[in-house]
Amino acid sequence: EPEVTQTPSHQVTQMGQEVILRCVPISNHLYFYWYRQILGQKVEFLVSFYNNEISEKSEIFDDQFSVERPDGSNFTLKIRSTKLEDSAMYFCASSAQMGEKLFFGSGTQLSVL
Amino acid sequence: DAKTTQPPSMDCAEGRAANLPCNHSTISGNEYVYWYRQIHSQGPQYIIHGLKNNETNEMASLIITEDRKSSTLILPHATLRDTAVYYCIVRETSGTYKYIFGTGTRLKVLA
């Protein structure tokens, strides 16, 4: 079965550093998403991306965050200047139709020290 | 905020049916009921969704009451690998892309 792939599985960074989390969505999917889950808390929506632009974002997704689809296969989340509270598991997801049947990756655990 | 109410935890014996309830009394006519589950800290996994008719797939069955104010996810023969947090989510399929996850039901399947 096709799957969403995320790299790295773990990322440790110093506060104030930039990080890029990478995702390879399922190849024929057109809609891409980032969610995050702080340890012990709910899964939270960050952003959705379609047709090379952001289609929806949450209030969490402030100016420190950006997304990009640099080529035909990768989808990235950049955090410009990480804060301690950015420590979380970040999940990438993709779907063939808008919002339908999301396929999630296994996540990147980001630890900001 | 999530529009659904689920019990925080449930146990089920291995091999028995697991029936997970969900209340969504404020659901509107164009909102679907989706179920996902999360095993350990893995990414959520889609299970099933429906609008008003009962649905069945290879993983589970979804029973929606006639007034649509509640639903039940049924895992017909639970296995240890079904131990997970199960999320019931109500959402429109147009106008918004996001899912709002609640706290879900932590299902423990017991040997």
Side-chain angles (χ1 to χ4, degrees), chain B residues 22-39:
Chain B
C22 179
N23 285 319
H24 31 79
S25 58
T26 60
I27 193 170
S28 62
N30 61 347
E31 290 181 315
Y32 283 68
V33 180
Y34 282 78
W35 284 83
Y36 282 77
R37 72 180 182 183
Q38 188 175 25
I39 299 173

Side-chain angles (χ1 to χ4, degrees), chain A residues 35 37 56 98-99 102 104, chain B residues 34 36 38 44 91 96-97 99:
Chain A
Y35 283 75
Q37 187 173 31
E56 191 172 6
M98 185 185 87
L102 268 59
F104 284 81
Chain B
Y34 282 78
Y36 282 77
Q38 188 175 25
R91 65 177 295 276
T96 182
Y97 295 81
Y99 287 81

Side-chain angles (χ1 to χ4, degrees), chain A residues 1 4-5 18-19 27 38-39 45 47 52-55 57 65 68 70 75 77 80 82 84-85 87 93 105 107:
Chain A
E1 182 175 273
V4 175
T5 306
E18 174 184 288
V19 295
S27 62
I38 296 170
L39 184 64
F45 170 80
V47 67
N52 278 321
E53 59 183 28
I54 291 173
S55 43
K57 62 182 181 179
F65 291 87
E68 189 178 30
F75 179 51
L77 174 69
R80 216 177 319 278
T82 51
L84 296 176
E85 54 265 36
S87 294

Side-chain angles (χ1 to χ4, degrees), chain A residues 33-36 43-45 90-91 102 104, chain B residues 98-99 101:
Chain A
Y33 314 83
W34 285 99
Y35 283 75
R36 79 172 187 189
V43 177
E44 300 175 290
F45 170 80
Y90 287 80
F91 295 111
L102 268 59
F104 284 81
Chain B
K98 64 185 177 188
Y99 287 81
F101 285 80

